[in-house]
Amino acid sequence: MTVDRRRLLGIFGVGAAAAGCATAPEPPRAPGAPGTGGAVRFAHGVASGDPDATSVLLWTRISAAEDGQRLRWQVARDLAFGRIAAEGLTDTSRARDHTVKVVAEGLQPGTDYWYRFIAADGTGSPVGRTRTLPEVSSAEPVVLAVCSCSLHPNGLFNAYDAIARQETLHAVVHLGDYLYEYGAAPTDYGMVNGQRLNRIPEPPHEIVSLADYRARHAQYKADPDLQAAHARAPWIVVYDDHETTNDSFDVGAENHQPDEGDWAARKAVALKAWFEWMPIREPRADASLEAATYRSFRFGRSASLHMLETRLMARTKQLDYATDFYTAGPDGQPVADRVGFMAKLNDPSRRLLGEDQLAWLERDLAAAARAGTAWQVIGNQVVMARVTAPDFGALIPEATLNAVLASLPEERQQSIRSLISLFGQNVPLNLDAWDGYPAERERFYGAVRRARARPVVLAGDSHTFWVNRLADAAGADVGVEFGTTAITSPSPADSLGLPPAFANQAVNDANPEVAFIDFQPRGFVRLTLTPERARGELMAVSTILEKPYRLDVLKAWEVEAGPRGVTGPLRED
């Protein structure tokens, strides 16, 4: 989601909330392994990810100038490491930025484990906690923390700290925008708070090279709240656009310019750094990095999780209102052409998943449904529900609009006025979301229906809490969607002078698929799944500007499992 689009649309995400007066109890911070100096030697913490019933991936990075490092890793059934379940040796080097990945195998299903790394000089890493997936016959409840969009300069990672404090947590599902590519100029995204909090991007310019992306990953993983969340439970991750650059698609990106080099080269180094620094299994020798990100996980009979790649592999370039809604008139001036725009929008050749990924998804959904798994959870980057833009032009007082626009350059004022004029013409709110690819959405819904799946779609990117009831073009129910707000990334809801509550009501009133929306909070979704029901709790932190903070359940919504392929009514709890 582009910075310009945030200003233009003025609807997705949120700024800092008011300061809270309390915080949750301190989570357990496990001691390090034998030796001293772990905070220096292992300055970026530990992480685990991509669990299955008998194995899990372990990650760390050793801070070392010299090349060629050997480490010991251990997995234990207890915090004291008295009952070792798996151990071994592994190597790292400058070629992979001294990051370390190992797959610990031979573990028991549905079991909590503790893990650590030990350098050759005896220095121990922090200790992490992880968990394997349950047996396929297990009916135990599954608790997931769903998060996205952590803009480091814009605020403290209090929501990550809150995730680390969760008493019960089986996995963290991160839907992308784990980091952002922007620089440290005063006008760069998030830098008003960045200067206030002294959270200055490293390096202090837009990241383009491999060294740049590695340095930005290192800055993020040096954050203690993020380290604590990684050490709390296994993560299941996928990237969105900012891990490369804003509004990326298969052959380019809005925020990639010709003077920044070749797009394919930039994408390659960004993905190389992402795979080095994230707790995701390495791709097979015959798979691309992009294809390695779509994959499935089975949480017993309660749920299967299917992570999608919607950004770099098959996505057709986004439409843009500024260029695609207008044609040249007789005098050469642009003339609105809604009919032509809608024809472009509904072009069946516009793709988001692509044929191969869609075929894979249908197979995995069908297999999970046949096996009796209650919920097929879709880890997806962008909002899937149909969301029409409200007629903000009829809702915003002219004096308010003039006051907001007065601080912007003249050309930006004109572009915002042009966009507002469009928002009374029954057009999508966000062309970067599934609304920009309606034919692909219908193909997705067809795959879900043929698989007789019972989908719970997860969405990030929007910096907004959503609870949506999904329906196809004919109005038939498909499933439900829980959209998570951002960890820290800001909301532009105020950029048009709209109080968040007013914007919430305007979007809700204009869209029958939207059951609930809130632009204001920062936080995450706590999703609890059993064979009988799915429950989404919208978890909001009270501030991203200071500590302590307060964590509250903003709203909770539930849906019951109906017959195979059918979800019950969505209701607020």
Side-chain angles (χ1 to χ4, degrees):
M1 179 180 283
T2 175
V3 177
D4 283 346
R5 181 175 290 111
R6 291 190 181 95
R7 288 177 176 171
L8 289 170
L9 298 182
I11 45 90
F12 284 137
V14 30
C21 58
T23 187
E26 181 68 21
R29 307 287 176 161
T36 59
V40 175
R41 203 71 160 134
F42 294 94
H44 302 99
V46 297
S48 67
D50 279 12
D52 62 27
T54 60
S55 69
V56 65
L57 179 131
L58 309 177
W59 178 95
T60 192
R61 181 181 187 268
I62 187 164
S63 304
E66 62 270 24
D67 198 16
Q69 295 287 314
R70 173 154 288 191
L71 300 88
R72 177 176 294 278
W73 57 271
Q74 295 179 321
V75 178
R77 291 292 301 272
D78 62 317
L79 181 57
F81 285 80
R83 293 181 292 161
I84 301 296
E87 61 182 332
L89 297 173
T90 190
D91 298 298
T92 188
S93 67
R94 289 196 190 106
R96 57 173 303 107
D97 202 20
H98 302 292
T99 60
V100 178
K101 286 187 184 180
V102 297
V103 176
E105 299 179 304
L107 307 179
Q108 295 299 308
T111 302
D112 287 323
Y113 289 96
W114 302 88
Y115 63 95
R116 67 187 181 187
F117 296 84
I118 305 172
D121 63 2
T123 302
S125 75
V127 172
R129 181 180 178 183
T130 192
R131 184 176 176 86
T132 51
L133 299 188
E135 294 180 322
V136 294
S137 60
S138 171
E140 70 174 4
V142 174
V143 180
L144 306 175
V146 183
C147 54
S148 71
C149 301
S150 45
L151 180 63
H152 185 273
N154 196 60
L156 303 176
F157 286 165
N158 289 339
Y160 282 142
D161 179 72
I163 289 171
R165 297 171 188 271
Q166 294 298 296
E167 182 177 351
T168 301
L169 183 62
H170 297 114
V172 176
V173 179
H174 200 292
L175 299 175
D177 292 346
Y178 180 92
L179 54 72
Y180 283 72
E181 79 277 19
Y182 301 116
T187 56
D188 278 336
Y189 193 42
M191 280 309 298
V192 171
N193 281 350
Q195 291 174 323
R196 172 181 176 180
L197 298 170
N198 195 31
R199 290 172 72 88
I200 309 302
E202 298 175 5
H205 55 260
E206 183 178 331
I207 52 177
V208 176
S209 70
L210 178 59
D212 289 343
Y213 282 100
R214 284 171 165 173
R216 190 63 58 85
H217 276 281
Q219 180 182 32
Y220 271 66
K221 282 211 170 59
D223 186 279
D225 293 331
L226 179 51
Q227 285 191 20
H230 270 301
R232 172 62 185 85
W235 283 43
I236 298 172
V237 302
V238 70
Y239 51 75
D240 193 21
D241 53 340
H242 290 289
E243 287 86 349
T244 51
T245 193
N246 182 64
D247 279 5
S248 49
F249 52 96
D250 56 352
V251 294
E254 177 275 334
N255 196 34
H256 181 75
Q257 312 307 323
D259 62 357
E260 293 173 323
D262 177 67
W263 163 247
R266 182 178 185 178
K267 179 175 75 171
V269 298
L271 290 182
K272 175 176 171 59
W274 189 81
F275 269 90
E276 289 171 347
W277 280 84
M278 296 300 289
I280 181 174
R281 298 190 190 224
E282 294 293 294
R284 303 186 314 270
D286 62 343
S288 67
L289 295 181
E290 296 95 319
T293 61
Y294 67 83
R295 59 213 194 277
S296 294
F297 303 85
R298 187 74 60 85
F299 291 84
R301 289 173 45 216
S302 292
S304 58
L305 171 63
H306 311 269
M307 301 296 285
L308 302 186
E309 200 284 350
T310 64
R311 186 53 69 176
L312 300 176
M313 187 168 58
R315 178 189 279 256
T316 307
K317 183 179 180 181
Q318 301 88 338
L319 295 180
D320 186 283
Y321 283 119
T323 57
D324 293 301
F325 199 84
Y326 298 92
T327 58
D331 59 355
Q333 296 300 309
V335 176
D337 180 12
R338 185 182 184 280
V339 173
F341 172 78
M342 296 304 292
K344 296 176 189 176
L345 183 69
N346 290 293
D347 184 343
S349 69
R350 294 182 55 73
R351 303 308 300 251
L352 204 61
L353 301 178
E355 291 290 349
D356 290 345
Q357 185 176 188
L358 192 60
W360 158 82
L361 178 62
E362 185 171 340
R363 289 194 300 269
D364 274 28
L365 290 175
R370 286 195 304 270
T373 303
W375 304 99
Q376 285 70 61
V377 181
I378 309 296
N380 151 74
Q381 289 72 64
V382 293
V383 173
M384 187 173 289
R386 187 176 290 101
V387 183
T388 298
D391 187 358
F392 284 117
L395 299 173
I396 306 171
E398 185 67 21
T400 299
L401 180 60
N402 291 338
V404 170
L405 297 184
S407 63
L408 300 178
E410 178 63 34
E411 63 273 14
R412 292 290 297 117
Q413 294 185 36
Q414 184 56 47
S415 65
I416 290 176
R417 291 185 184 279
S418 297
L419 189 62
I420 288 176
S421 72
L422 298 176
F423 278 1
Q425 302 188 48
N426 193 30
V427 294
L429 189 59
N430 183 5
L431 296 175
D432 187 55
W434 282 84
D435 266 337
Y437 304 83
E440 187 80 328
R441 181 169 53 198
E442 291 303 304
R443 285 187 285 263
F444 171 85
Y445 288 164
V448 167
R449 188 169 290 109
R450 289 189 297 272
R452 300 188 68 189
R454 194 182 289 117
V456 175
V457 174
L458 307 178
D461 183 71
S462 70
H463 311 178
T464 302
F465 277 133
W466 301 83
V467 181
N468 300 321
R469 185 79 195 202
L470 302 176
D472 65 17
D477 286 347
V478 176
V480 299
E481 179 175 41
F482 292 106
T484 184
T485 188
I487 296 292
T488 56
S489 302
S491 168
D494 296 333
S495 65
L496 292 180
L498 292 175
F502 178 84
N504 296 342
Q505 193 66 50
V507 174
N508 201 312
D509 288 349
N511 292 284
E513 291 189 24
V514 178
F516 177 81
I517 180 174
D518 198 330
F519 296 113
Q520 187 62 32
R522 303 300 81 194
F524 61 97
V525 170
R526 184 167 63 197
L527 181 66
T528 302
L529 302 143
T530 71
E532 296 77 32
R533 61 183 51 84
R535 176 182 175 86
E537 296 170 286
L538 312 183
M539 311 297 294
V541 295
S542 58
T543 181
I544 58 172
L545 294 179
E546 63 184 6
K547 295 179 184 293
Y549 66 91
R550 186 182 63 251
L551 180 68
D552 296 307
V553 180
L554 176 68
K555 293 283 185 179
W557 290 73
E558 284 191 354
V559 60
E560 293 184 356
R564 180 174 164 181
V566 177
T567 59
L570 182 64
R571 66 176 187 273
E572 184 178 356
D573 186 21

